[in-house]
Amino acid sequence: RGVRVVALLHNAFTVDPALRALVQAADCSIVHIPENRLELIANGAQPEKISLIELGVERVVAPDPARARRQLGIPADQKLVVSFGFVQQHKGLDEIIDAVHKVRARGTNAHLYLVGGVNSEDPTSVEYLRALKQLVQQAGLQSCIHFIDGYVPEEQVTGYLTAADAVVLNYRSQHYE
Protein backbone atom coordinates (compact mmCIF):
# COMPACT_ATOMS: atom_id res chain seq x y z
CA ARG A 1 0.00 0.00 0.00
CA GLY A 2 2.99 2.27 -0.34
CA VAL A 3 3.84 2.37 3.37
CA ARG A 4 7.49 1.71 4.10
CA VAL A 5 8.35 -0.08 7.34
CA VAL A 6 11.60 0.67 9.15
CA ALA A 7 12.33 -1.33 12.31
CA LEU A 8 14.80 0.05 14.88
CA LEU A 9 16.00 -2.85 17.00
CA HIS A 10 18.06 -2.24 20.14
CA ASN A 11 18.47 -5.87 21.17
CA ALA A 12 18.37 -8.84 18.85
CA PHE A 13 20.29 -11.64 20.54
CA THR A 14 18.30 -14.72 19.68
CA VAL A 15 16.37 -16.47 16.94
CA ASP A 16 12.72 -15.64 17.56
CA PRO A 17 9.60 -16.23 15.42
CA ALA A 18 8.20 -12.73 16.07
CA LEU A 19 11.53 -11.11 15.25
CA ARG A 20 11.77 -13.25 12.11
CA ALA A 21 8.33 -12.05 10.96
CA LEU A 22 9.22 -8.41 11.66
CA VAL A 23 12.57 -8.35 9.85
CA GLN A 24 11.21 -10.25 6.87
CA ALA A 25 8.30 -7.79 6.51
CA ALA A 26 10.38 -4.63 7.09
CA ASP A 27 11.78 -2.60 4.23
CA CYS A 28 14.76 -1.74 6.43
CA SER A 29 15.98 -2.78 9.87
CA ILE A 30 18.38 -0.62 11.88
CA VAL A 31 20.74 -2.03 14.51
CA HIS A 32 23.50 -0.47 16.59
CA ILE A 33 26.17 -3.16 16.73
CA PRO A 34 27.55 -5.59 14.13
CA GLU A 35 26.61 -8.60 16.26
CA ASN A 36 22.93 -7.61 16.08
CA ARG A 37 23.21 -7.40 12.30
CA LEU A 38 24.27 -11.04 12.27
CA GLU A 39 21.35 -11.95 14.52
CA LEU A 40 18.92 -10.33 12.09
CA ILE A 41 20.44 -12.32 9.24
CA ALA A 42 20.05 -15.47 11.37
CA ASN A 43 16.38 -14.48 11.72
CA GLY A 44 15.95 -14.33 7.96
CA ALA A 45 16.56 -10.66 7.20
CA GLN A 46 18.12 -9.87 3.85
CA PRO A 47 21.59 -8.39 4.50
CA GLU A 48 21.00 -5.50 2.10
CA LYS A 49 17.94 -4.45 4.14
CA ILE A 50 19.94 -3.98 7.36
CA SER A 51 21.53 -0.67 8.29
CA LEU A 52 24.14 -0.40 11.00
CA ILE A 53 24.08 2.92 12.86
CA GLU A 54 26.50 2.69 15.76
CA LEU A 55 25.70 4.56 18.93
CA GLY A 56 27.84 7.54 19.82
CA VAL A 57 29.61 5.63 22.57
CA GLU A 58 33.31 5.01 22.31
CA ARG A 59 34.20 1.34 22.45
CA VAL A 60 36.93 0.66 24.95
CA VAL A 61 39.46 -2.03 24.25
CA ALA A 62 40.47 -3.54 27.56
CA PRO A 63 44.16 -3.99 28.24
CA ASP A 64 45.58 -7.48 28.54
CA PRO A 65 45.46 -8.97 32.07
CA ALA A 66 49.22 -8.78 32.69
CA ARG A 67 49.31 -5.13 31.67
CA ALA A 68 46.22 -4.35 33.80
CA ARG A 69 47.87 -6.00 36.81
CA ARG A 70 51.04 -3.96 36.31
CA GLN A 71 49.03 -0.73 36.01
CA LEU A 72 47.15 -1.52 39.24
CA GLY A 73 50.26 -2.70 41.09
CA ILE A 74 48.91 -6.24 41.55
CA PRO A 75 51.58 -8.97 41.64
CA ALA A 76 51.37 -11.67 38.98
CA ASP A 77 51.42 -14.48 41.56
CA GLN A 78 48.15 -13.42 43.22
CA LYS A 79 44.92 -15.16 42.30
CA LEU A 80 42.73 -12.12 41.91
CA VAL A 81 39.01 -12.21 42.71
CA VAL A 82 37.02 -9.05 41.94
CA SER A 83 33.50 -8.01 42.84
CA PHE A 84 32.25 -4.72 41.46
CA GLY A 85 29.31 -2.51 42.31
CA PHE A 86 27.51 -0.88 45.19
CA VAL A 87 28.06 -2.37 48.63
CA GLN A 88 24.65 -3.87 49.43
CA GLN A 89 23.55 -6.88 51.46
CA HIS A 90 21.75 -8.63 48.62
CA LYS A 91 25.07 -8.93 46.79
CA GLY A 92 26.48 -11.39 49.34
CA LEU A 93 29.89 -9.76 49.71
CA ASP A 94 30.30 -11.35 53.15
CA GLU A 95 30.04 -14.77 51.51
CA ILE A 96 32.71 -13.83 48.96
CA ILE A 97 35.01 -12.77 51.80
CA ASP A 98 34.37 -16.10 53.53
CA ALA A 99 35.05 -18.01 50.30
CA VAL A 100 38.37 -16.22 49.75
CA HIS A 101 39.29 -16.97 53.37
CA LYS A 102 38.62 -20.69 52.77
CA VAL A 103 40.58 -20.72 49.51
CA ARG A 104 43.53 -19.07 51.25
CA ALA A 105 43.36 -21.65 54.06
CA ARG A 106 43.96 -24.29 51.37
CA GLY A 107 47.18 -22.56 50.31
CA THR A 108 46.09 -20.40 47.37
CA ASN A 109 47.41 -16.84 47.32
CA ALA A 110 43.95 -15.38 46.66
CA HIS A 111 43.20 -11.67 47.05
CA LEU A 112 39.77 -10.10 46.88
CA TYR A 113 39.15 -6.59 45.58
CA LEU A 114 35.74 -5.16 46.41
CA VAL A 115 35.46 -2.32 43.91
CA GLY A 116 32.68 0.18 44.60
CA GLY A 117 31.15 2.23 47.35
CA VAL A 118 27.99 2.51 49.36
CA ASN A 119 24.64 3.16 47.74
CA SER A 120 23.21 6.40 49.12
CA GLU A 121 19.68 5.18 48.32
CA ASP A 122 20.11 2.05 50.46
CA PRO A 123 19.85 2.88 54.18
CA THR A 124 21.67 -0.35 55.13
CA SER A 125 24.62 0.11 52.77
CA VAL A 126 26.88 2.11 55.11
CA GLU A 127 26.34 -0.29 58.01
CA TYR A 128 26.94 -3.29 55.74
CA LEU A 129 30.28 -1.82 54.61
CA ARG A 130 31.25 -1.32 58.27
CA ALA A 131 30.28 -4.92 59.03
CA LEU A 132 32.33 -6.21 56.08
CA LYS A 133 35.41 -4.30 57.24
CA GLN A 134 34.91 -5.64 60.76
CA LEU A 135 34.61 -9.19 59.39
CA VAL A 136 37.89 -8.74 57.51
CA GLN A 137 39.55 -7.36 60.65
CA GLN A 138 38.30 -10.19 62.87
CA ALA A 139 39.45 -12.84 60.40
CA GLY A 140 42.87 -11.18 60.04
CA LEU A 141 42.42 -10.78 56.29
CA GLN A 142 43.46 -7.12 55.95
CA SER A 143 46.43 -8.04 53.74
CA CYS A 144 44.33 -9.90 51.18
CA ILE A 145 40.87 -8.25 51.17
CA HIS A 146 41.05 -4.83 49.54
CA PHE A 147 38.24 -2.26 49.63
CA ILE A 148 38.31 0.20 46.74
CA ASP A 149 35.66 2.49 48.25
CA GLY A 150 33.66 5.18 46.57
CA TYR A 151 33.36 6.17 42.95
CA VAL A 152 35.80 4.30 40.71
CA PRO A 153 36.47 5.69 37.21
CA GLU A 154 35.41 3.45 34.32
CA GLU A 155 38.94 2.82 33.09
CA GLN A 156 40.02 1.68 36.56
CA VAL A 157 37.00 -0.63 36.83
CA THR A 158 37.90 -2.07 33.42
CA GLY A 159 41.43 -2.63 34.69
CA TYR A 160 40.29 -4.57 37.75
CA LEU A 161 37.85 -6.67 35.74
CA THR A 162 40.50 -7.39 33.11
CA ALA A 163 43.15 -8.29 35.69
CA ALA A 164 40.84 -10.66 37.58
CA ASP A 165 41.17 -14.42 37.58
CA ALA A 166 37.52 -14.52 38.67
CA VAL A 167 34.74 -11.93 38.79
CA VAL A 168 32.12 -12.83 41.38
CA LEU A 169 28.69 -11.19 41.50
CA ASN A 170 27.10 -13.15 44.33
CA TYR A 171 23.49 -11.99 44.19
CA ARG A 172 21.34 -13.55 46.92
CA SER A 173 18.10 -12.14 45.56
CA GLN A 174 16.16 -11.75 42.37
CA HIS A 175 17.29 -8.10 42.23
CA TYR A 176 19.72 -8.00 39.32
CA GLU A 177 21.39 -4.87 38.01
Side-chain angles (χ1 to χ4, degrees):
R1 297 181 187 176
V3 175
R4 301 196 43 89
V5 176
V6 177
L8 173 61
L9 301 154
H10 293 283
N11 286 314
F13 292 108
T14 187
V15 174
D16 177 83
L19 179 58
R20 176 180 288 277
L22 173 65
V23 298
Q24 288 179 347
D27 296 295
C28 177
S29 296
I30 300 170
V31 294
H32 298 302
I33 60 174
E35 294 83 358
N36 285 158
R37 183 178 187 280
L38 294 174
E39 288 295 335
L40 294 190
I41 292 170
N43 274 287
Q46 295 175 15
E48 64 275 5
K49 290 186 174 184
I50 304 170
S51 293
L52 174 66
I53 302 176
E54 294 195 36
L55 296 173
V57 177
E58 181 180 342
R59 288 186 182 211
V60 177
V61 177
D64 68 76
R67 181 175 176 203
R69 283 176 178 254
R70 284 192 304 275
Q71 290 174 335
L72 295 167
I74 298 170
D77 67 333
Q78 287 182 4
K79 292 296 181 189
L80 180 60
V81 179
V82 173
S83 188
F84 167 72
F86 286 123
V87 175
Q88 295 179 279
Q89 288 182 354
H90 73 274
K91 294 185 178 182
L93 302 176
D94 53 302
E95 293 171 343
I96 302 171
I97 291 169
D98 184 54
V100 168
H101 188 203
K102 288 175 181 174
V103 167
R104 287 184 63 81
R106 293 185 181 142
T108 300
N109 185 19
H111 284 248
L112 171 61
Y113 284 76
L114 298 171
V115 182
V118 297
N119 183 338
S120 61
E121 296 179 12
D122 180 348
T124 66
S125 189
V126 171
E127 185 54 40
Y128 186 54
L129 178 59
R130 264 192 228 116
L132 292 174
K133 289 183 177 183
Q134 185 177 20
L135 174 65
V136 168
Q137 181 81 22
Q138 289 171 343
L141 298 171
Q142 304 90 313
S143 66
C144 62
I145 308 292
H146 310 274
F147 291 89
I148 312 300
D149 291 347
Y151 173 78
V152 180
E154 184 177 341
E155 62 190 35
Q156 191 176 0
V157 171
T158 299
Y160 280 109
L161 296 175
T162 300
D165 293 294
V167 175
V168 181
L169 304 173
N170 187 40
Y171 286 84
R172 300 191 273 212
S173 69
Q174 295 301 313
H175 176 74
Y176 300 105
E177 297 172 6

